[in-house]
Amino acid sequence: MEALIAGIQNATAAGPLLAIAAGVFVGIFMGAVPGLTAAMAIALLAPLTFGLDPLTAVAFLIGIYKGGTFGGSISAILLNVPGSPEAAATAFDGYPLSRSGKARQALQMALFASVAGAILADLLLYLVALPFSKIALKFGPAELTFVVLFAFTFVAGLTGRSMLRGMTACAFGVLCAMVGLDPMSASPRMTFGHVELLDGLPLLPIAIGMLGLAEVMAAAERAFDRRRASPDTKSAPISSSSGPGLSLPVFLSHWKTVLRSSLIGTAIGALPGIGASLAAFVGYGSAQRYSKTPEKFGQGVLDGVAGPEAANSAVVGGSFVPLLTLGIPGNVTTALLIGTFLVHGIEPGPHVFKTEPDLIYGIFTVLFIANFANLAIGLMGSGLYSHIVKAPEYVSYSIIGLTCLTGVFASTNSLFNLYIMIIFALIGFFMKKFDYSFVAFLIGFVLAPEFEVSFRSFLLVAQGDLVGFLMQRPIALLFCMMTVFAVVRIAWSEHQKRAVSSTTTPSQSEQK
């Protein structure tokens, strides 16, 4: 109880509250501009938090995470251009609503559903995290090895179109994490004579390069392609204040959709590697399945906005379950948060609940407060953001590119890290182009050190009898079986898709 009170007091101090408000404002802006995401904002602005106390730093990044998740719906509803990948499902009904003169109602439904879904997920996080951390304290090297291996499997299989490409990207991330000193023998590995690489490849320049600068390159390529092709005709932008507002009784009439999608998003967020995009589409599908008028979906119904928004916002709270209890990031954003934790001397995992209980309860409180900040700033700033999303791409991406370069150099004061960022920006650009998941790469890079130490310790403890030792560890055996099942299931699913495509292609050619 003392830790809970102390955590609440720390989170409601002036510093964390201002950090939450600033983070939400930045997050909504970054989410609203098409092509920019909350993960990109966290990668760019994480260096600004290194001089702050741990809770204030985390509060700022959580604010960005919460605001960015909602911000993507603004451009999706007003322009039919999702500001972030998870907002694509929101555009299905949000844009038709805005075209029919209900833009304000659609935006407010997206905001209210996002806040409601996030609050429910945070409540479940508070109830689940502490008991689960006590179970996680029993994890040894064998359990951690197969938990991380299971996370790798999910990431590789579900973040791209091909499991093989996902595994390749994840393995490349693990390989890059091997650069530096061996954790057990302290001998240098793959440093190629560069003293700067003895500490390993830095996470921040890699993340900024792959998330920020690579997206700038992709935007430049898209602009070049558009210039060569005939310009598309675009409809006039819609004002965010058009149409009536959303009354409380109308919102409450959709409580079943919000509750169902919130539970779906929380569960999906707790599974590593799946992410908010899948949660949004599953939430949209469930809203349509349980609707009394499913045929109206896609023509402009509020349930089609409430479902995906509640689901993708609930992913935020759900993703903190594996992050805080096991130290395993559920997505790219939480992988970047781990980097901030480590900079401030905090190692996420079950032990942090005993060593830093004040901080954990402070983070729980920050998550709750950020929801209400998201609500207030979203209501006040929706008109401003609706004008920002209409800015030309060359303006926003020029600023982002300059921020990437100056941010890395200012935070590290090293030209070597600048070169690393540029190299990985090129790698990230080609990974996107050829459908190799950079999410799998980053999570593989972040989890590789823990996986290596756990795996090598598991080999030493087992003393050659891997199967016999595994049979004595039921939790490790369970995750081993789940990993094998996941690999077989995903591989079989991909085989069926290829079989269907190979059978439909000849029939189409015969018809021609």
Side-chain angles (χ1 to χ4, degrees), residues 2 25 197 221 271 321 350 381 431 505:
E2 292 180 1
F25 185 86
L197 292 178
E221 184 187 36
L271 297 174
V321 175
M431 286 178 71
T505 304

Side-chain angles (χ1 to χ4, degrees), residues 323-341:
L323 174 67
L324 295 177
T325 58
L326 296 174
I328 295 177
N331 48 42
V332 174
T333 310
T334 49
L336 297 173
L337 288 175
I338 282 187
T340 304
F341 279 134

Side-chain angles (χ1 to χ4, degrees), residues 50-249:
F50 292 167
L52 304 175
D53 65 90
L55 186 59
T56 304
V58 173
F60 178 64
L61 300 182
I62 286 176
I64 294 176
Y65 194 4
K66 295 271 189 178
T69 306
F70 157 69
S73 66
I74 295 176
S75 56
I77 292 171
L78 297 180
L79 305 176
N80 201 26
V81 180
S84 52
E86 59 265 23
T90 306
F92 293 161
D93 282 274
Y95 187 67
L97 279 169
S98 64
R99 296 299 298 174
S100 62
K102 299 178 181 178
R104 185 180 178 191
Q105 198 174 65
L107 283 171
Q108 290 181 355
M109 173 56 81
L111 177 60
F112 295 161
S114 294
V115 172
I119 289 176
L120 181 60
D122 294 341
L123 283 172
L124 293 174
L125 168 68
Y126 179 79
L127 296 174
V128 169
L130 186 59
F132 192 75
S133 68
K134 293 179 180 179
I135 298 173
L137 284 171
K138 300 179 181 179
F139 283 22
E143 287 79 9
L144 289 175
T145 296
F146 288 100
V147 166
V148 176
L149 197 61
F150 180 65
F152 284 162
T153 304
F154 255 90
V155 170
L158 298 176
T159 55
R161 297 179 183 175
S162 168
M163 183 177 183
L164 181 61
R165 292 186 180 186
M167 291 177 66
T168 303
C170 189
F172 182 55
V174 173
L175 178 66
C176 291
M178 298 297 174
V179 175
L181 296 177
D182 186 286
M184 292 189 173
S185 65
S187 58
R189 303 181 302 193
M190 296 183 287
T191 59
F192 306 103
H194 293 283
V195 179
E196 296 89 347
L197 292 178
L198 289 176
D199 289 334
L201 289 169
L203 172 63
L204 191 64
I206 291 175
I208 292 178
M210 298 191 79
L211 290 171
L213 205 56
E215 182 61 33
V216 173
M217 295 178 182
E221 184 187 36
R222 291 194 299 267
F224 181 74
D225 291 340
R226 282 198 301 267
R227 184 171 296 179
R228 290 193 303 175
S230 58
D232 297 327
T233 57
K234 295 185 178 179
S235 57
I238 302 165
S239 172
S240 64
S241 59
S242 64
L246 183 71
S247 63
L248 184 60

Side-chain angles (χ1 to χ4, degrees), residues 416-451:
F416 188 82
N417 287 343
L418 206 60
Y419 299 146
I420 290 176
M421 181 196 68
I422 294 173
I423 290 171
F424 277 92
L426 291 170
I427 293 173
F429 171 74
F430 286 107
M431 286 178 71
K432 290 181 180 181
K433 196 172 184 64
F434 295 102
D435 194 33
Y436 284 88
S437 172
F438 67 93
V439 177
F441 169 85
L442 281 178
I443 293 184
F445 181 81
V446 170
L447 292 182
E450 182 179 359
F451 176 71

